[in-house]
Amino acid sequence: MPEARQARAFSLGEPMSGRFYDPNPVYFNLLSNQPVAGGFLTFYLQGTTTPKGTWSDSALTIPNTNPVPLDSSGRANVNIWLSGAYTVRLTDSQGAVIWVRDVDDGATGQAQFPPMESGKFLTNDGSVYLWGDVRQVPDPTGSANKVLSTDGAALIWIAQQAIPDLPIEVLANAIKIKGIMIQWGTGSAPASGGFSTQQAVTFTTPFSEAPYFAIPSVNNALVTASSLAATAATNLTATGCTFNFSAADSKENNSDKITSPIPYRWLAIGRVATS
């Protein structure tokens, strides 16, 4: 026995609708297995007895009567298009109920497609369908050695920028990077026989002003058999400074006095004039 079936239909820019049945089916009486001649299809809001309309076109502009009559062959001679969910009742010509079924238009959520727009693609914002701009990479023909960029509105090819050379100057004991110089050297503070000693240092390459800092580093952590070296830089100028060393753990006895030279390395960082 043929059953009422649904076929989905999609219409851009119009309410979604679904056809209730294949064109021209024959509706049969379940008991007699004969066509329901002169019967009726009545449509309701699903789960209720409130009448709900159908249409004879997919755009839902031409309403059908409700109920929809069947002819002598048990056929509905109009197309039946739905919008949403229905309860459908098939009755014979005397109004006796043959069956009742729940159906819907097959268009979940009654989604609507917006009117087409050239050069765009169909997307959504999580609630409705909409047309979005297609972001395409421009044709690279003739754009050798160019890189993809944007002007804030479109993608464009631009000439590849050369990586600039950093103005680095390497000297014997210094490196200049633009207006900054890192300079280093070595030295040896004399044995003073006391608890401290010092050494004046002249920078091989003068700075343009007193450097940010200049620090000595003692090659050997101990300046005596039992004392560490405390270091400091004083009299800092653009051309030099004085490095000071002392026996930091001194107990002021002869064994803690500086009786041997103190070798050291130093590092200074400061400004220089740019060329």
Side-chain angles (χ1 to χ4, degrees):
M1 178 187 71
E3 295 184 357
R5 293 186 292 170
Q6 304 171 62
R8 295 188 180 183
F10 300 92
S11 178
L12 294 178
E14 301 172 351
M16 294 295 292
S17 60
R19 180 171 262 160
F20 171 60
Y21 69 100
D22 293 332
N24 291 321
V26 175
Y27 293 92
F28 285 82
N29 189 308
L30 297 176
L31 297 177
S32 66
N33 201 28
Q34 296 298 314
V36 186
F40 298 93
L41 289 168
T42 306
F43 295 82
Y44 303 96
L45 188 66
Q46 193 172 91
T48 74
T49 57
T50 302
K52 182 175 180 179
T54 65
W55 293 262
S56 62
D57 66 321
S58 62
L60 309 184
T61 61
I62 305 173
N64 293 324
T65 61
N66 193 11
V68 175
L70 305 181
D71 62 17
S72 59
S73 299
R75 291 185 173 92
N77 289 323
V78 294
N79 290 324
I80 302 176
W81 291 87
L82 309 181
S83 177
Y86 293 77
T87 293
V88 185
R89 184 173 65 184
L90 174 65
T91 59
D92 63 17
S93 60
Q94 303 302 312
V97 177
I98 297 173
W99 53 248
V100 178
R101 295 174 182 170
D102 287 340
V103 299
D104 62 54
D105 63 6
T108 302
Q110 292 294 284
Q112 297 184 29
F113 290 166
M116 287 189 180
E117 294 187 39
S118 177
K120 296 192 175 184
F121 71 97
L122 187 64
T123 183
N124 70 88
D125 63 2
S127 177
V128 298
Y129 290 108
L130 50 87
W131 295 104
D133 293 329
V134 177
R135 302 296 185 184
Q136 293 181 315
V137 175
D139 186 354
T141 303
S143 297
N145 300 318
K146 292 186 176 182
V147 295
L148 191 62
S149 184
T150 177
D151 60 5
L155 296 172
I156 56 175
W157 294 105
I158 63 171
Q160 187 171 353
Q161 302 296 310
I163 299 175
D165 292 329
L166 287 175
I168 298 177
E169 182 180 357
V170 180
L171 305 176
N173 65 329
I175 295 178
K176 291 182 180 180
I177 305 174
K178 278 193 151 181
I180 298 295
M181 179 170 64
I182 303 173
Q183 191 169 176
W184 58 86
T186 60
S188 180
S192 65
F195 301 110
S196 64
T197 185
Q198 60 183 213
Q199 175 78 47
V201 173
T202 300
F203 301 136
T204 305
T205 304
F207 294 91
S208 59
E209 59 186 38
Y212 297 124
F213 65 87
I215 53 174
S217 173
V218 178
N219 291 354
N220 191 332
L222 296 176
V223 297
T224 70
S226 59
S227 296
L228 298 173
T231 62
T234 58
N235 304 322
L236 197 60
T237 69
T239 58
C241 66
T242 300
F243 290 142
N244 300 275
F245 306 87
S246 64
D249 297 332
S250 172
K251 300 181 180 62
E252 297 189 1
N253 56 54
N254 290 338
S255 63
D256 290 322
K257 293 180 180 180
I258 301 173
T259 58
S260 299
I262 302 176
Y264 62 87
R265 297 174 179 173
W266 59 269
L267 180 74
I269 300 177
R271 293 183 182 276
V272 289
T274 57
S275 54

